[in-house]
Amino acid sequence: MVHLASVPNDKKAQEPPVEGMAGIKLEPNAEEDEVTASVYGSRFAAECLPMHEMPEKEMPKEIAYRMIKDDLSLDGNPMLNLASFVTTYMEEEAEKLMAEALPKNFIDYEEYPQTADIQNRCVNMIARLYNAPTSSEGENALGTSTVGSSEAIMLGTLAMKKLWQNKRKAAGKDFSKPNIIMNSAVQVCWEKAARYMEVEERYVFCTEDRYVIDPEECVNLVDENTIGICAIVGTTYTGEYEDVKAINDLLVEKNIDCPIHVDAASGGFVAPFVVPELPWDFRLEKVVSINVSGHKYGLVYPGVGWVVWRAPQYLPKELVFNINYLGADQASFTLNFSKGASQVIGQYYQMIRLGKHGYRSIMLNITRTADYLAACLEQLGFIIMSKKGGQGLPLVAFRLDPAKGHHYDEFAVAHHLRERGWVVPAYTMAPHSEKLKMMRVVVREDFSRARCDTLVADMKLAVESLSAMDKATVDSHVKHVKNHQTTSGKKNKGKNHHYGNEKHSLQGKTGKTHAVC
């Protein structure tokens, strides 16, 4: 997600970090050398990095590199960021291939036809992985790469809306009030897709003991204005797989003409290898499109996503543009135009390097690690909210046992772990169940058993330390952390306060936070 950055006025931009420092100048003597043999002996080491205005003069490349590298050192360690699904490890050979492709603009099919063909190979492999119908001559699935699942979801929603509008127009009916049905635990990109495409959001709300969509309630919300249903294979909060088959079967049983789009952003590269017998994909007749993130369990650095349609009739022709290269037409359906080719090439590398056996080995390994972590946390007294044994994503969602009357909450535990470098998010559940506080650890490819044991030891230490504190001390510490959270040592100066009071998103309406993706 790209964050809106606020451009401060001149007065704000010139404010020193500490009051009373405005008059102090550390300008170099005019006779001093502009450059020295040492980065930190140069004048740039005694100046602020440019923040608001492009500098008038250049600086040496070695110094620019080191200054930016030092600035970035304040970021966390990606491998300890257990909040994110995003890939943090790739083999050196993959990185080399991706680095070599950095100058390539993927959309330039005429100049880089082989890169375009590699994308098509990936689409073929993914479509078959999801059991797209390919046996008959007239059957051919189609798909495209995207910047991530957000773009893929935008495209899927746009296709469903246009398909619904065309049917309504052909029948001479009103087509001004489309709606889409989804779980209230959807990732925020679904809210954005509905808002940007002017589609009404209809939510099936979670409860305190159900964190996925209820198929019966979902189908009951369908009416003549419904463009489709979103079903999630791997929810952001607890990693559960929603029962796509139950939704499909109810639609068939009730003879309801409503398509299903499966958001498999996180689960699309897990379920086929861990629970291949689970029917959630194109084996179900009502599933018309599927998206997946290559940069999550597809094992590629961000950002790349994929979206696949069952057949051309589910992607209206008027949304597709033809581009001619080397005498052949290339159909294009994207929101983005220019983009790098590196991630698509990285995805192809992973697919042919690992094969199904390699993906299966990795996904089974991290599933076992997730089950081990869940068992350890249960021993420490936590309640596990996620599924085990591969019945959901390889993650562990958990919360404190309210029966034990702790004088601290999940946010306090998360703050304590942060002091050890771990990023383990704490947040409240989806709307209508937001009273539940929870934490979540995403088990990625590079989260080994040894690292898991270190986390468990630090988790145990955090619980013991918090238990030894009195409530007043815990509350004071949490308040201090909340009031002094910073961005690169500065109170979030980039935040755009003009949009702080919106009431149209789930977060704006309910006051709860979205789960980290």
Side-chain angles (χ1 to χ4, degrees), residues 350-419:
Q350 293 289 49
M351 286 180 163
I352 67 169
R353 160 76 176 96
L354 296 171
K356 292 181 179 178
H357 181 270
Y359 269 94
R360 188 177 299 113
S361 298
I362 291 169
M363 299 309 155
L364 287 173
N365 255 355
I366 59 179
T367 296
R368 294 185 190 103
T369 302
D371 287 349
Y372 170 74
L373 176 59
C376 290
L377 292 174
E378 278 184 312
Q379 286 297 311
L380 291 177
F382 289 97
I383 295 174
I384 306 302
M385 301 170 68
S386 48
K387 299 293 185 183
K388 302 175 186 176
Q391 297 307 304
L393 295 177
L395 63 77
V396 183
F398 56 101
R399 60 190 178 97
L400 292 166
D401 187 347
K404 295 186 177 180
H406 297 289
H407 57 268
Y408 54 88
D409 64 6
E410 288 78 1
F411 289 88
V413 177
H415 293 322
H416 210 285
L417 288 171
R418 192 70 176 89
E419 294 172 2

Side-chain angles (χ1 to χ4, degrees), residues 85-98 118 121-122 125-126 129 269 273 293-302 304 306 341-363 444-446:
F85 290 91
V86 174
T87 295
T88 52
Y89 165 78
M90 291 185 77
E91 292 175 334
E92 186 178 330
E93 290 77 9
E95 292 177 344
K96 187 177 178 183
L97 273 174
M98 294 170 73
I118 282 177
R121 297 176 202 174
C122 290
M125 293 178 186
I126 291 169
L129 185 65
F269 279 106
F273 303 110
S293 292
H295 59 234
K296 292 182 180 175
Y297 288 110
L299 308 181
V300 182
Y301 292 142
V304 61
W306 305 89
S342 299
Q343 275 67 26
V344 169
I345 292 169
Q347 185 73 79
Y348 186 60
Y349 172 90
Q350 293 289 49
M351 286 180 163
I352 67 169
R353 160 76 176 96
L354 296 171
K356 292 181 179 178
H357 181 270
Y359 269 94
R360 188 177 299 113
S361 298
I362 291 169
M363 299 309 155
R444 298 188 302 269
E445 179 187 6
D446 57 354

Side-chain angles (χ1 to χ4, degrees), residues 67-78:
M67 292 294 104
I68 296 173
K69 181 180 175 67
D70 288 352
D71 206 30
L72 291 173
S73 68
L74 294 171
D75 280 344
N77 182 343

Side-chain angles (χ1 to χ4, degrees), residues 5-16:
S6 178
V7 179
N9 58 38
D10 292 343
K11 182 181 177 182
K12 283 282 185 185
Q14 293 166 10
E15 280 184 357

Side-chain angles (χ1 to χ4, degrees), residues 182-252:
M182 49 191 166
N183 180 5
S184 63
V186 290
Q187 210 270 343
V188 69
C189 60
W190 277 101
E191 289 185 69
K192 291 167 69 176
R195 179 77 41 176
Y196 296 170
M197 307 296 174
E198 298 187 313
V199 177
E200 176 197 351
E201 303 129 281
R202 289 192 175 177
Y203 292 110
V204 176
F205 289 97
C206 297
T207 67
E208 292 195 0
D209 55 8
R210 175 181 53 77
Y211 314 129
V212 291
I213 202 166
D214 178 78
E216 191 78 40
E217 187 179 345
C218 164
V219 173
N220 288 341
L221 287 174
V222 176
D223 61 21
E224 63 178 5
N225 292 319
T226 301
I227 67 170
I229 295 169
C230 160
I232 310 171
V233 174
T235 62
T236 303
Y237 288 89
T238 60
E240 293 177 70
Y241 299 148
E242 296 192 321
D243 196 343
V244 188
K245 185 177 188 303
I247 298 172
N248 177 86
D249 292 351
L250 281 170
L251 291 172
V252 172

